[in-house]
Amino acid sequence: EADIYQTPRYLVIGTGKKITLECSQTMGHDKMYWYQQDPGMELHLIHYSYGVNSTEKGDLSSESTVSRIRTEHFPLTLESARPSHTSQYLCASSVVNEQFFGPGTRLTVL
Amino acid sequence: KNQVEQSPQSLIILEGKNCTLQCNYTVSPFSNLRWYKQDTGRGPVSLTIMTFSENTKSNGRYTATLDADTKQSSLHITASQLSDSASYICVVSDRGSTLGRLYFGRGTQLTVWP
């Protein structure tokens, strides 16, 4: 089991609120990723990072933003949550050919 | 368009039985193919990873096969257990970028009944 953590695991919040989903890994991996996954659907890459101060948007357009100030930390922020943001958000980090996933944050926006 | 298609979409089997899940892909160029197990409400966990030159790989009761010519892979589960109930996701990586882009299937939802 990989050492990658996400908090909170579950979040229910009202429309318009600002939220930050936390992701941290203790493996020293340079590459980190955020995926969005709806029930029964494939994972979609929304953000990735090659290392500190490096962030890129993924394939799926997202209103969220990310930052990478420290190697081990890759938080995702939504400035104003909407019901369309309701989904599961998975963080991952990688080395060579292997990606390790966190447990995910289940976000519900009312 | 690079795609990964999995079948069946869902499967129910009795405890102790074997099953085989299928994955067809059109990703090119091809780097590697992985099978992940994702329990409900959890992140995916890697089961196997195979490169172009490998055609079979085992991890306990899980055996994955790869036919790079036909672009097909299968995951065989032997003597299923209740804990095998999960979604099994096929993921293919290309080597067209430094990121090693991953293409995800939608998964096969396996339910094992006692």
Side-chain angles (χ1 to χ4, degrees):
Chain A
E1 190 119 346
D3 295 324
I4 182 163
Y5 309 98
Q6 290 185 243
T7 58
R9 292 294 317 283
Y10 303 92
L11 180 62
V12 180
I13 201 165
T15 296
K17 299 293 185 182
K18 176 180 179 179
I19 60 170
T20 296
L21 308 184
E22 301 288 349
C23 175
S24 61
Q25 50 97 4
T26 59
M27 297 170 284
H29 293 168
D30 287 327
K31 294 180 181 177
M32 295 190 72
Y33 314 81
W34 275 102
Y35 292 91
Q36 187 173 337
Q37 184 184 32
D38 293 319
M41 301 297 287
E42 63 267 46
L43 279 72
H44 290 286
L45 181 67
I46 53 175
H47 297 284
Y48 61 95
S49 167
Y50 287 134
V52 172
N53 294 326
S54 155
T55 61
E56 301 287 344
K57 289 191 178 293
D59 306 314
L60 183 67
S61 176
S62 174
E63 293 164 352
S64 59
T65 59
V66 293
S67 63
R68 190 87 183 277
I69 299 173
R70 303 199 314 266
T71 298
E72 63 271 22
H73 197 212
F74 192 37
L76 180 145
T77 298
L78 275 167
E79 291 292 333
S80 180
R82 294 206 303 269
S84 60
H85 296 139
T86 294
S87 189
Q88 169 146 311
Y89 292 84
L90 290 163
C91 179
S93 69
S94 73
V95 59
V96 193
N97 287 327
E98 187 66 70
Q99 277 206 0
F100 300 93
F101 287 86
T105 293
R106 169 66 65 185
L107 173 65
T108 302
V109 183
L110 303 177
Chain B
K1 181 181 176 183
N2 287 321
Q3 285 188 315
V4 177
E5 301 287 344
Q6 292 187 244
S7 62
Q9 184 176 345
S10 62
L11 181 63
I12 299 174
I13 61 173
L14 294 177
E15 186 179 14
K17 298 296 185 183
N18 303 335
C19 67
T20 300
L21 315 180
Q22 300 291 340
C23 174
N24 296 336
Y25 63 93
T26 60
V27 177
S28 182
F30 172 85
S31 177
N32 58 69
L33 184 146
R34 315 132 188 246
W35 282 94
Y36 283 88
K37 177 187 179 187
Q38 184 176 22
D39 292 314
T40 301
R42 307 288 297 181
V45 175
S46 179
L47 295 175
T48 63
I49 179 169
M50 290 181 292
T51 59
F52 185 88
S53 60
E54 297 173 297
N55 54 27
T56 186
K57 183 163 281 189
S58 293
N59 178 2
R61 295 179 297 103
Y62 301 103
T63 299
T65 65
L66 173 66
D67 186 333
D69 292 330
T70 62
K71 298 188 176 182
Q72 295 179 325
S73 176
S74 65
L75 180 69
H76 186 74
I77 304 175
T78 304
S80 60
Q81 300 175 358
L82 298 179
S83 59
D84 292 333
S85 294
S87 179
Y88 291 84
I89 303 172
C90 177
V91 184
V92 181
S93 176
D94 69 15
R95 52 172 191 260
S97 70
T98 57
L99 177 62
R101 166 81 190 273
L102 298 184
Y103 297 85
F104 291 82
R106 293 187 176 184
T108 291
Q109 183 64 49
L110 175 66
T111 304
V112 180
W113 283 3

